[in-house]
Amino acid sequence: MATQYAFQGTSAREIAASVERAVTEGGLGPGAALPPVRRLAEDLGVSPGTVATAYKELRGRGIVVTRGRGGTVVAPTPAVGSRRPPKVPAGIRDLAGGHPDPAFLPVLTPPAEVLPARGSHRGNPRLPALEELSRAWFARDGVPSAHVSFAHGALDCVARLLSVELRPGDAVAVEDPGFHHLLDLVPALGLRMLPVAVDDEGMRPGELGRALRAGARAVLCSPRAQSPRGARFTAGRRAELLAVLAGFPEVLVVEDDHNADIAGVALHSLTTGALPRWAQVRTASKHLGIDLRWAALACDATTLARHDGRMLLTSGWVSHVLQETAAGLLADPATHALVAEGSAAYARRRLALTGALGRHGITAYGESGLNVWVPVRDESAVVNGLRTHGWWVAAGTRFRIEGPPAVRITSATLDEADAPRLAADFAAVLGESEATYGG
């Protein structure tokens, strides 16, 4: 049923702005239906083409989606500035955020002195010391490191890569379930998502092939610690995916190895498969701290030139203060020891939770990384039920496109001793909501 919100405007731009304002201010929530084109045209006294153009602009900017006979509705995660993560209620244990344990994060120590720059750093955007450390970081896992660059975090880097390679309306193959910020980012850039199902070994080759044949011009994937499912590429799966990609040499393959140092498993990267167009992004936020807004990029020469050319015209460079700080941490043996301790703890905690859930007959996935993915039949019933037991977990709807329902639990901040209690509460919630859950 169409919403009764009063839209305004006589031009496509004015109508689109009216809809966007309604979404931003909360008058239209995710899933709210917009009026059919002809009805709104009659209400506003404009041509159907004007309204259709407004809706097209809104789709291109990720604010609405069209569902065939279901009409045009506000996107599940509309790309408007007012969106923020929900606040965790007081007294509830937060296991929803996907964040690392602060106990395993180093204290950030910016350089004591930063010499004034002569003009800008556009001519020399990367500190040589950090560039060499970044090359060694990639080379450690076999990723080709001849061409590296920096960005302000993984999402900043991926957004720039996609924006210089693709045009609005182009398609991108994405993981389903996948990282919710990437699933928000792609439509916000005006791009179409082609979901590719994920199992414990990552993207399924057959489904990737279908997405590529359907016109995907880029592939976004996580080689390990995939969020939310925790999947990781095995050697066999890597070979299968490379065989599929061999038939599409023009496609840009972007690996998001955001948990490189704390994934808990070895890397089997597509970037080592002689792909013509490829990139791997690594961020420091998960193992060195969220305030270190720095990511490293390794890629082919063409991708490097396009990325850096666009960066030169926008932010220009990553702050040399951040670069000095990152270089100090990457070269610090004590930091390496702390990160390794955290990686081992995250593996133990992840296994403790999946094991505890398994003893209650509850299937859970988490081969690597910081999270555990638990399939359910009713996400709301489970999320709300666990809240009454003092646990705050994430509903899976924000991470999936076509995949079945589930919840994501951040195991990184859950002590091993607490896993049995959470698992028991989870089982109790399933029993309490049996009618809804369908047990």
Side-chain angles (χ1 to χ4, degrees):
M1 183 175 181
T3 179
Q4 299 300 309
Y5 186 89
F7 298 110
Q8 299 175 342
T10 57
S11 68
R13 179 171 295 181
E14 290 173 348
I15 296 168
S18 176
V19 175
E20 181 175 0
R21 186 163 54 250
V23 175
T24 301
E25 295 174 352
L28 291 177
L34 273 63
V37 168
R38 291 190 178 277
R39 182 187 305 172
L40 183 56
E42 292 176 1
D43 291 345
L44 298 178
V46 301
S47 72
T50 298
V51 175
T53 299
Y55 282 11
K56 180 179 179 180
E57 179 182 340
L58 291 164
R59 284 195 302 273
R61 293 171 51 218
I63 296 174
V64 303
V65 294
T66 298
R67 294 176 173 168
R69 294 183 179 180
T72 300
V73 302
V74 177
T77 53
V80 294
S82 62
R83 286 185 54 79
R84 294 290 186 273
K87 291 185 177 180
V88 180
I92 303 296
R93 182 78 176 275
D94 182 8
L95 299 177
H99 304 304
D101 188 335
F104 301 113
L105 296 176
V107 175
L108 300 185
T109 307
E113 293 183 348
V114 180
L115 298 178
R118 291 183 178 272
S120 77
H121 288 304
R122 293 181 189 275
N124 297 286
R126 295 184 292 277
L127 292 178
L130 184 56
E131 189 167 351
E132 288 307 308
L133 287 166
S134 298
R135 293 184 195 280
W137 192 19
F138 286 113
R140 179 197 70 187
D141 295 317
V143 177
S145 58
H147 307 289
V148 300
S149 190
F150 304 156
H152 298 91
L155 288 171
D156 171 66
C157 188
V158 172
R160 192 173 295 109
L161 291 171
L162 295 180
S163 67
V164 297
E165 292 288 338
L166 281 64
R167 296 293 178 266
D170 286 345
V172 181
V174 298
E175 296 168 327
D176 184 17
F179 183 40
H180 61 294
H181 288 311
L182 282 177
L183 300 187
D184 289 351
L185 174 64
V186 172
L189 294 173
L191 306 173
R192 295 183 293 115
M193 293 191 294
L194 297 178
V196 178
V198 175
D199 59 23
D200 281 345
E201 297 183 67
M203 280 186 162
R204 294 178 178 174
E207 297 214 10
L208 175 60
R210 282 192 286 274
L212 292 169
R213 290 190 294 273
R217 293 193 55 204
V219 177
L220 298 181
C221 60
S222 300
R224 52 185 172 179
Q226 189 265 356
S227 180
R229 204 182 191 279
R232 83 284 186 247
F233 290 165
T234 59
R237 177 59 55 86
R238 171 189 172 277
E240 292 175 315
L241 293 173
L242 285 173
V244 172
L245 289 165
F248 302 87
E250 73 285 356
V251 170
L252 174 65
V253 178
V254 180
E255 281 189 349
D256 179 11
D257 194 18
H258 60 287
N259 276 332
D261 284 35
I262 52 175
V265 293
L267 176 67
H268 296 282
S269 174
L270 300 175
T271 68
T272 61
L275 294 169
R277 300 299 312 285
W278 63 273
Q280 189 185 96
V281 186
R282 292 187 173 187
T283 181
S285 62
K286 294 297 186 183
H287 72 289
L288 298 181
I290 59 174
D291 281 323
L292 193 60
R293 303 304 300 161
W294 173 78
L297 166 69
C299 56
D300 65 89
T302 299
T303 299
L304 178 76
R306 293 179 179 178
H307 173 276
D308 283 7
R310 178 62 59 87
M311 190 170 188
L312 180 69
L313 298 173
T314 53
S315 56
W317 68 90
V318 175
S319 162
H320 280 206
V321 177
L322 288 179
Q323 291 191 45
E324 291 276 13
T325 305
L329 291 169
L330 290 180
D332 179 34
T335 297
H336 284 279
L338 181 62
V339 171
E341 182 183 354
S343 180
Y346 297 146
R348 292 194 303 270
R349 293 173 181 181
R350 191 176 62 249
L351 292 174
L353 180 56
T354 56
L357 289 167
R359 287 188 285 276
H360 286 275
I362 301 170
T363 300
Y365 301 101
E367 292 293 321
S368 60
L370 307 182
N371 304 291
V372 168
W373 185 247
V374 189
V376 297
R377 294 190 181 180
D378 190 310
E379 293 177 2
S380 296
V382 172
V383 170
N384 292 329
L386 286 175
R387 177 178 176 176
T388 66
H389 288 267
W391 307 102
W392 184 259
V393 303
T397 185
R398 61 199 289 209
F399 304 99
R400 56 189 180 84
I401 305 172
E402 297 177 351
V407 296
R408 190 190 76 169
I409 304 174
T410 298
S411 55
T413 53
L414 181 72
D415 292 336
E416 295 166 68
D418 291 332
R421 180 166 65 88
L422 173 55
D425 290 341
F426 203 116
V429 166
L430 296 186
E432 292 165 359
S433 60
E434 186 173 290
T436 303
Y437 186 72

